[in-house]
Amino acid sequence: MQKSLFLDALNCKNFSRPPVWLMRQAGRHLASYRAIRQKHSFLEMCHTPDLIAEVTLLPIEAYGVDAAILFADILLIPEAMGIGLRFEEKIGPVIEKPVRSLADVQKLPGVEEVHSLSYVAEGIKKVLPRLEVPLVGFCGAPFTVASYMIEGGSSRDFRKTKEWMYRDPAGFHCLLEKICSWSVEYLKMQAKAGVHAIQVFDSWANSLAFHQFLEFSLPYLRKIVDSLAAENVPTILFCKGASVFASAIKDVAPSAISFDWNADLSMVRKEIPLPIALQGNLDPAILYADPKTIQREVCYLLDKMEDDPGYIFNLGHGIPPDVPEESVRVLVNTVKNRKSCLVGSLF
Ligand code: CP3
């Protein structure tokens, strides 16, 4: 691997322009993704090492971003546990056998079954020789993955998750423990296959009160970060609601924290000093705006984070599936050609 702005920024030692990559960059907004997806189901794509490699490369080819994210899904762990996962058009994930009690948890296979996810490691090995930028592996945070396993799919109010959390916190922790031990082994497998960094997605942390985040999410995030630090793999924590939980996440000492768009990152930097890197945090809806507005918002954020050696440009959440590729290209190119920020006529 040549010199990498992304790895330099993760180490808080980047003295050039900020690196840029985008969550969900390998997704449905890309025509090249939709063309492959016409021929294969989503899970088939996730299970096939050649397709993992091919789809991981698509956004690198389309935009020249500074890091690749592995093409996979946070629900592959529950799928490997045998809960019966399928993806339905316009609905999203559907889980046939949701987990709703301690007895259900005890029926889930132990961590020695992680080898059934080895197709992901095969995909990593296939893509690495074709990449000139670092590869980010990932998994879901135990709380977020648990919420899908309990609800049986996506949820607006997390009602069943919370019912269980209040009724039987000890049983709920057993589920979190099990997901966490699978996640640690799965991430070690990804690290051994060669990923350069790991991102943990706690997409639904914002559904928790502060003290609940401390009890039901943070200890498991800490376990994951510590286990990967022992393997010398940097970890990025993405928690929806990170600006509320920032002080607590800081104590876990990940390599970087990824913020959603509510936070003013330059103010966050006062609370989270180097050597923790900051990632984010443009509102993904900017990609529905016209090019000048996209450039203006990108420059506003770049100006705020100017000269920060530990800053990684990203959105505050994933790229929506229905935005034009041209808008993503404008965004990436604006970061890469920083001088366009100095052109007064844009504003
Ligand atoms: O480009 C990338 O970011 C890499 C691949 C990636 C996917 N999912 C591919 C995907 C990553 C990092 C994820 C993470 C993921 N998966 C999260 C956490 C991030 C977030 O968005 O909050 C979550 C919650 C999931 C679970 C999941 N996967 C849902 C709820 C859905 C359905 C909703 C949707 O967008 O369709 C998925 C499907 C999914 N995962 C797609 C992709 C490209 C679309 C599948 C399709 O082609 O139909």
Side-chain angles (χ1 to χ4, degrees), residues 206-268:
N206 60 340
S207 68
L208 293 169
F210 191 81
H211 69 284
Q212 292 171 329
F213 177 73
L214 297 187
E215 180 175 354
F216 295 104
S217 186
L218 199 67
Y220 303 101
L221 296 175
R222 188 188 297 279
K223 208 172 262 185
I224 291 173
V225 169
D226 288 350
S227 308
L228 289 164
E231 311 269 321
N232 286 319
V233 180
T235 306
I236 305 168
L237 292 184
F238 168 77
C239 300
K240 199 84 192 305
S243 47
V244 173
F245 305 129
S247 59
I249 300 171
K250 178 180 78 175
D251 289 341
V252 170
S255 311
I257 307 176
S258 194
F259 283 84
D260 58 46
W261 58 96
N262 295 120
D264 177 318
L265 270 197
S266 58
M267 278 160 69
V268 168

Side-chain angles (χ1 to χ4, degrees), residues 173-217:
H173 272 296
C174 286
L175 174 59
L176 294 169
E177 280 286 352
K178 183 153 250 167
I179 299 168
C180 188
S181 54
W182 270 72
S183 304
V184 165
E185 292 311 311
Y186 174 56
L187 293 177
K188 282 188 187 165
M189 179 200 281
Q190 292 187 25
K192 208 168 148 218
V195 298
H196 301 90
I198 290 288
Q199 177 155 316
V200 182
F201 288 88
D202 205 351
S203 304
W204 307 126
N206 60 340
S207 68
L208 293 169
F210 191 81
H211 69 284
Q212 292 171 329
F213 177 73
L214 297 187
E215 180 175 354
F216 295 104
S217 186

